[in-house]
Amino acid sequence: MSRKDTLVSRIPKLGERVERKDVVSVVKLHGVITPQASPLSARGAINLAAVETALKRAFSHERLQAVALQINSPGGAPTQSGLVAERIRQLAEAKGVPVIAFAEDVAASGGYWLACAADEIYAHRTSMVGSIGVISGSFGFSQLLERFGVERRLYTAGENKSRLDPFTPEKPEDVAWLRSMHTQLHDMFVDWVKQRRGDRLSDAEDLFSGDVWLGPKALELGLIDGLGSLREVVEQRFPNAEITVAEPKKPLLARLGVSSPAAAMLQAIEHRAAWSRFGL
């Protein structure tokens, strides 16, 4: 049979019923969680604007059996983590289908926040999971300015408007304010994990310490439900389903690498630092 005949034979005949397969949609959530995409980041970025279309497409199939979240993220912005996770729950409840998360290299901090939007979480035995904590970093340049005789002039209205300004000496009251913010965010993170994981969590004292664990230990702690890859779990749970991938598209300028060179470089360094915390 020629190639032409083979292709023609696959075209349904008029009036012939085409059997539609069940579907498991896969949404790739790869990269640092940030409000803005980085044109120089090879691993992409996650935020609600970037993943909204992919999520809606993933949940739109008629014969949808489940949605799988393929997560590879060291975390990032807490607000975007919450917005994406909440959107996943809204779509899942509206569609009435289970959501299963799969950790790849790392699902830590905000990456684990996203994973908790799923009904079940799986990881590879080498995956790094957890880091239920809050972190922020900065630099201090006040002495550098003094060394080069540079005078910075800053004008504000509001006594706390210039908190944690990197060009002025650090103030204890500013640090106390920041630690208070961290504590509030950490409490929200812990509440979210407890809400989603429930009695599957262990009572280990260091569970919410910000530590990160490999797959087997994460399973022991109740942070995940099992070990395994996306394809093997999906094929076992939904043997007759077709896997379709809904991958978030990067903004046009990000795909072309068009951006302010200085801003893009700084953002790329920040993203590199986020991944390097986990040796990646």
Side-chain angles (χ1 to χ4, degrees):
M1 182 181 291
S2 67
R3 181 178 179 81
K4 178 180 178 181
D5 292 335
T6 301
L7 292 173
V8 170
S9 67
R10 293 178 179 176
I11 299 175
K13 296 178 182 179
L14 187 63
E16 183 180 6
R17 183 179 178 182
V18 179
E19 184 179 350
R20 295 184 179 180
K21 280 190 170 185
D22 292 337
V23 170
V24 172
S25 290
V26 176
V27 180
K28 291 187 176 182
L29 300 175
H30 291 189
V32 175
I33 304 169
T34 174
Q36 297 178 331
S38 170
L40 297 181
S41 176
R43 305 195 196 211
I46 302 169
N47 55 58
L48 185 58
V51 305
E52 171 71 16
T53 301
L55 288 174
K56 290 172 68 174
R57 190 164 66 247
F59 281 94
S60 66
H61 293 280
E62 292 181 7
R63 298 179 62 86
L64 186 65
Q65 297 299 299
V67 171
L69 307 176
Q70 193 177 48
I71 298 173
N72 200 1
S73 174
T79 301
Q80 291 300 321
S81 302
L83 288 172
V84 173
E86 289 163 16
R87 184 61 175 142
I88 292 168
R89 291 313 313 156
Q90 290 171 354
L91 292 167
E93 289 165 12
K95 191 73 174 182
V97 295
V99 178
I100 308 172
F102 295 88
E104 292 196 331
D105 298 285
V106 58
S109 196
Y112 185 67
W113 190 310
L114 296 180
C116 285
D119 302 294
E120 298 176 53
I121 305 174
Y122 288 83
H124 191 267
R125 63 182 182 277
T126 62
S127 300
M128 287 178 279
V129 178
S131 191
I132 303 170
V134 181
I135 185 174
S136 62
S138 181
F139 295 94
F141 299 103
S142 60
Q143 294 183 4
L144 184 66
L145 295 183
E146 291 178 7
R147 179 178 178 183
F148 289 95
V150 177
E151 179 185 1
R152 182 166 187 253
R153 296 171 181 174
L154 184 66
Y155 309 98
T156 67
E159 59 180 328
N160 296 320
K161 189 64 178 178
S162 62
R163 265 180 175 155
L164 300 173
D165 180 77
F167 295 99
T168 57
E170 187 177 70
K171 299 177 182 178
E173 58 268 29
D174 290 352
V175 176
W177 170 84
L178 181 62
R179 291 189 184 280
S180 174
M181 295 289 285
H182 281 182
T183 298
Q184 294 175 60
L185 288 169
H186 189 222
D187 290 343
M188 294 178 193
F189 196 172
V190 171
D191 288 344
W192 169 248
V193 174
K194 288 182 176 180
Q195 174 190 335
R196 298 298 304 156
R197 299 299 298 167
D199 57 10
R200 287 174 287 185
L201 294 171
S202 77
D203 56 359
E205 292 183 2
D206 58 349
L207 191 61
F208 303 117
S209 67
D211 209 344
V212 66
W213 297 274
L214 294 179
K217 184 64 176 180
L219 177 60
E220 180 184 325
L221 294 172
L223 295 175
I224 64 175
D225 297 284
L227 299 175
S229 67
L230 185 152
R231 189 161 293 277
E232 71 174 294
V233 172
V234 169
E235 288 180 350
Q236 181 180 9
R237 296 275 294 276
F238 309 97
N240 299 318
E242 178 183 2
I243 296 177
T244 65
V245 178
E247 187 168 3
K249 291 183 179 180
K250 295 181 181 179
L252 178 60
L253 292 181
R255 292 200 298 263
L256 296 176
V258 179
S259 178
S260 164
M265 183 62 71
L266 286 173
Q267 202 168 49
I269 292 172
E270 290 178 355
H271 285 203
R272 176 69 280 209
W275 285 102
S276 66
R277 289 176 49 225
F278 302 96
L280 298 171

